[in-house]
Amino acid sequence: MPPLLGILCGLGLFLIWWSTWDQPTARPRKKKRRRLDQLLLSAGIEKVTGSALLLTCGGVGCAVMAVFFLITRAPVVALCFGLFGSWTPLAIVRRRARKRRAALRLLWPDVVDHLRSAIRAGLALPEALIQLGSKGPEELRPLFLDFGADYRSGGHFETALDRLKDRLADPVADRIIEALRMTREVGGSDLGRMLGTLSDFLRDNSRTRSELEARQSWTVNAARLAVAAPWIVLVLMASRPEAMPAYNSTVGAMVLLAGLLVSVCCYSLMLRIGALPDDERVLR
């Protein structure tokens, strides 16, 4: 009995000592979005999921394959163009995401300047972000109006800021938002200077990247035309029924599939070699 009593007393003292230490509250980690969902958000498409995009790709591919099979009566030719058709919706979304990123790259310096002016005028940080819904760049006003609605409905700045970051889905926006979050949490008197430096950096970066993309575009377009030329010729040949039976043979199918493999590999290699490094979202 005495040993048990001693153990219980020791355990009680240990629990009292343990309760005097503050336990750090870990910030709940947000569930990472899938890659396709993130791509759709980057393109400004919020009401379509990655699964819906995959279903669209499959439906378009099947429709294109059926059309080419009815025209050519060559299953291998129809299969090749069906694969191209299934890739088309994804290519459109990627192109839209690139255009949106390029457009936002030109707008962020103005957004930072608006924030800097509002903070210098004495507005609080949430109000400075909300006023961008009426005085900011036209393309971004709906997103900041949504931020204002989220903030007014719940009153939680952190939650509204996280939703704004998800809607923007842009690496530059991530850096700006995290800088504002840190300033609100720890305080600081150099916010105006920091925003001014950030605005100058963003303008220089946008100018340099625009020059590189302009010089690169003619090379990339020429390479795309070189990859697409054989398939354009094949489409023209499909208008002549006597040319299609050659592709129904084993040798013809092997030649066509080998050409498809070479085209895909060369196009992917060209994009990888000629692509400029993209900013990654490391602060999601």
Side-chain angles (χ1 to χ4, degrees):
M1 189 66 182
L4 179 60
L5 185 60
I7 292 174
L8 291 176
C9 290
L11 182 60
L13 291 175
F14 173 76
L15 292 176
I16 294 173
W17 174 80
W18 181 260
S19 64
T20 59
W21 292 90
D22 293 332
Q23 298 296 322
T25 56
R27 186 178 175 182
R29 297 181 61 185
K30 294 191 300 181
K31 185 179 179 180
K32 288 189 175 181
R33 293 179 180 271
R34 293 193 306 169
R35 192 170 181 179
L36 283 179
D37 294 335
Q38 189 64 39
L39 177 63
L40 289 166
L41 285 175
S42 299
I45 305 172
E46 299 182 14
K47 297 182 180 180
V48 179
T49 64
S51 302
L53 178 60
L54 291 178
L55 289 175
T56 303
C57 291
V60 172
C62 292
V64 172
M65 184 168 60
V67 169
F68 271 88
F69 180 75
L70 292 175
I71 295 174
T72 63
R73 298 296 177 181
V76 181
V77 175
L79 176 62
C80 291
F81 283 100
L83 292 176
F84 290 147
S86 64
W87 176 77
T88 302
L90 184 60
I92 293 174
V93 173
R94 286 179 175 174
R95 180 179 178 83
R96 180 168 174 174
R98 286 195 300 269
K99 284 188 173 182
R100 184 172 181 265
R101 267 191 227 110
L104 290 179
R105 200 181 303 128
L106 299 175
L107 296 177
W108 285 126
D110 295 334
V111 171
V112 175
D113 288 340
H114 279 292
L115 281 174
R116 185 185 182 190
S117 301
I119 291 171
R120 282 187 170 183
L123 289 179
L125 194 52
E127 283 73 17
L129 287 170
I130 291 172
Q131 62 92 28
L132 289 173
S134 57
K135 298 181 180 179
E138 291 283 347
E139 293 83 353
L140 294 175
R141 287 184 183 181
L143 298 175
F144 286 103
L145 287 175
D146 291 339
F147 166 80
D150 291 337
Y151 180 69
R152 292 190 184 98
S153 63
H156 298 290
F157 181 71
E158 296 287 335
T159 304
L161 211 57
D162 288 335
R163 291 178 180 174
L164 176 63
K165 186 197 292 189
D166 289 339
R167 293 189 189 102
L168 288 169
D170 184 78
V172 180
D174 291 344
R175 291 195 288 270
I176 295 173
I177 288 174
E178 291 302 325
L180 296 177
R181 190 199 306 274
M182 185 179 299
T183 301
R184 182 177 173 84
E185 288 179 355
V186 303
S189 58
D190 293 334
L191 180 58
R193 185 183 305 171
M194 183 269 291
L195 291 176
T197 303
L198 180 59
S199 176
D200 294 337
F201 170 76
L202 292 176
R203 281 192 170 88
D204 292 339
N205 182 56
S206 176
R207 189 182 307 112
T208 303
R209 194 174 185 89
S210 298
E211 292 177 358
L212 292 174
E213 288 177 348
R215 295 180 181 181
Q216 180 201 38
S217 61
W218 68 272
T219 304
V220 175
N221 291 333
R224 287 174 177 170
L225 181 60
V227 171
W231 301 99
I232 295 174
V233 172
L234 184 60
V235 171
L236 296 176
M237 290 175 61
S239 60
R240 301 178 61 87
E242 62 271 14
M244 287 296 102
Y247 293 102
N248 287 328
S249 63
T250 304
V251 176
M254 291 178 62
V255 169
L256 200 58
L257 293 177
L260 176 64
L261 180 62
V262 170
S263 297
V264 171
C265 292
C266 291
Y267 185 73
S268 302
L269 185 62
M270 179 270 298
L271 290 181
R272 184 176 293 273
I273 293 174
L276 295 174
D278 289 329
D279 291 336
E280 295 185 3
R281 298 190 63 196
V282 296
L283 297 172
R284 283 183 286 180

